[in-house]
Amino acid sequence: MHLNNTDCNTSHFRYPLFTSTYSIVLLFGFPLNSVSLWILLCRNGLKKSVPVIYMANLALSDLLFIISLPFRIIYFATGRWTLGNALCMIPGTLFAVNIYSSSLFITLISVDRMLAVVYPIRSRPLRTAPVAWALSMTVWLLIAGLAVPTAFNHPQNEDTDCNVTRCFEKYTPDEWKQGFIILCCTTFFGILVPFGIILGCTVAVVRQLRSYSKTSSCDAELSKSKIVNLFLSNLLIYAICFIPFHIAFILLGLSKTEILPGEKSLDFYFNLQTVTMCMASTNSCLDPLIYYFSSKRIQGRSRCDSSSKSIGLGLVQSTSWTGQ
């Protein structure tokens, strides 16, 4: 959703900004996620590895969003929509699908790694492929339920002032009110709650790692770094992509529904939302960081000190592609 704009040209900075941002995300995101998904499916399989199941679903979510980007690029490059109402609703819906499914799958990855590190034995019954598939299907069902109202809230609009058809902008006050309600609900359940869970998992893992002896094996030290980088990459995605966008979007929604008065404030929130929406779109390029920190195998095990082998082995198993 975007602010109504009576200017009929495409001089506003959002048009070239969106065009260039989506082009860059398409250029880098498609090969990164395609290769990641190929590695996950062909080299690791989905039968036993819980992390691979979650990461494959995350890559699929990113690819669904990325393949819709050409439609956005065409619109923001030309400033007019000519592809019909259905193709207008799909890209807007896939953006929301990607944001919230990514948030939930990143949360599942974080919880799985936390259980593997903090409760490696007690959590084994929960960290199985059937449980992972059940949770993944639950996420997709929730996202499908969100997609229906989101799609109907993103139709094409006739801009009578400029005599063109618009998409991704110029929504009516009723559409804004309905969209704002959806936004508040999805922000709380799809962003704030998952972020709190990831933050709690990060604290629990850091405490557990600090409890290990300072005299540890090479495996343990490398695995500790790998685990920390995984959680930092999760928090980085939230800090760059999810949190700023939702703060700006809620402020814009409050202004559009006249809860926050002021025309100048409305313009500022609109511009802020434009920038943060571009930031949110980059999450599909940052997600491969999660694949990297979750997949790169620890090398040089034979060179490590055997005195701390049990600690090192436990940490290595907690971050392995194929380990449960």
Side-chain angles (χ1 to χ4, degrees):
M1 284 181 272
H2 299 282
L3 183 65
N4 291 344
N5 184 17
T6 57
D7 190 357
C8 296
N9 60 42
T10 57
S11 61
H12 190 276
F13 78 92
R14 74 183 185 276
Y15 288 102
L17 180 61
F18 279 135
T19 301
S20 58
T21 299
Y22 293 144
S23 298
I24 292 172
V25 172
L26 178 63
L27 178 64
F28 290 98
F30 185 78
L32 283 173
N33 285 281
S34 297
V35 171
S36 297
L37 188 60
W38 177 82
I39 293 174
L40 289 164
L41 294 177
C42 299
R43 296 183 58 182
N44 296 279
L46 300 175
K47 294 182 179 180
K48 295 183 178 180
S49 177
V50 172
V52 169
I53 293 172
Y54 294 143
M55 287 186 287
N57 281 278
L58 179 59
L60 177 61
S61 171
D62 289 334
L63 284 173
L64 287 175
F65 168 64
I66 289 170
I67 61 176
S68 73
L69 289 180
F71 298 106
R72 288 179 174 268
I73 294 170
I74 291 171
Y75 174 75
F76 286 107
T78 62
R80 61 181 66 240
W81 185 256
T82 60
L83 301 177
N85 191 47
L87 288 180
C88 177
M89 292 191 293
I90 291 174
T93 303
L94 288 179
F95 176 81
V97 166
N98 175 247
I99 290 290
Y100 300 110
S101 61
S102 293
S103 173
L104 295 176
F105 283 122
I106 291 172
T107 303
L108 290 175
I109 292 170
S110 298
V111 171
D112 177 71
R113 295 303 83 194
M114 183 276 293
L115 292 175
V117 174
V118 181
Y119 307 105
I121 305 301
R122 291 162 55 186
S123 65
R124 277 193 171 274
L126 299 175
R127 294 172 44 246
T128 62
V131 171
W133 276 116
L135 291 174
S136 297
M137 292 303 102
T138 300
V139 168
W140 285 116
L141 287 174
L142 291 173
I143 296 301
L146 169 66
V148 174
T150 301
F152 285 106
N153 203 54
H154 285 77
Q156 67 179 22
N157 295 279
E158 297 301 326
D159 187 346
T160 55
D161 295 329
C162 302
N163 195 30
V164 295
T165 302
R166 303 290 190 184
C167 187
F168 315 120
E169 60 181 342
K170 202 172 178 60
Y171 295 105
T172 66
D174 289 338
E175 288 169 341
W176 263 105
K177 290 178 181 179
Q178 180 182 353
F180 186 65
I181 294 172
I182 297 173
L183 174 66
C184 290
C185 294
T186 54
T187 298
F188 180 77
F189 292 106
I191 299 297
L192 295 182
V193 171
F195 180 70
I197 294 172
I198 293 174
L199 200 58
C201 291
T202 303
V203 173
V205 166
V206 170
R207 286 180 176 177
Q208 184 68 25
L209 294 179
R210 285 182 176 178
S211 69
Y212 291 135
S213 172
K214 292 183 179 180
T215 306
S216 58
S217 68
C218 297
D219 270 341
E221 290 303 320
L222 290 172
S223 296
K224 286 179 185 179
S225 176
K226 188 178 180 182
I227 293 170
V228 171
N229 287 334
L230 169 63
F231 281 94
L232 288 179
S233 66
N234 292 345
L235 294 174
L236 177 69
I237 290 172
Y238 268 82
I240 294 178
C241 303
F242 298 155
I243 302 297
F245 168 69
H246 284 82
I247 292 175
F249 212 167
I250 286 176
L251 289 173
L252 178 60
L254 290 172
S255 185
K256 283 290 294 180
T257 54
E258 299 182 350
I259 298 176
L260 291 178
E263 187 65 29
K264 291 184 178 180
S265 297
L266 182 61
D267 292 338
F268 172 76
Y269 297 144
F270 173 61
N271 292 335
L272 182 63
Q273 186 259 0
T274 298
V275 174
T276 56
M277 189 170 186
C278 290
M279 294 167 58
S281 302
T282 64
N283 89 88
S284 58
C285 293
L286 293 178
D287 285 342
L289 289 175
I290 298 176
Y291 314 146
Y292 175 80
F293 290 127
S294 298
S295 66
K296 190 177 181 182
R297 290 189 175 278
I298 304 301
Q299 301 296 327
R301 296 182 189 178
S302 61
R303 298 192 299 270
C304 296
D305 183 3
S306 60
S307 63
S308 300
K309 184 176 180 180
S310 60
I311 295 177
L313 181 58
L315 288 170
V316 170
Q317 289 176 340
S318 73
T319 54
S320 173
W321 282 86
T322 55
Q324 294 179 359

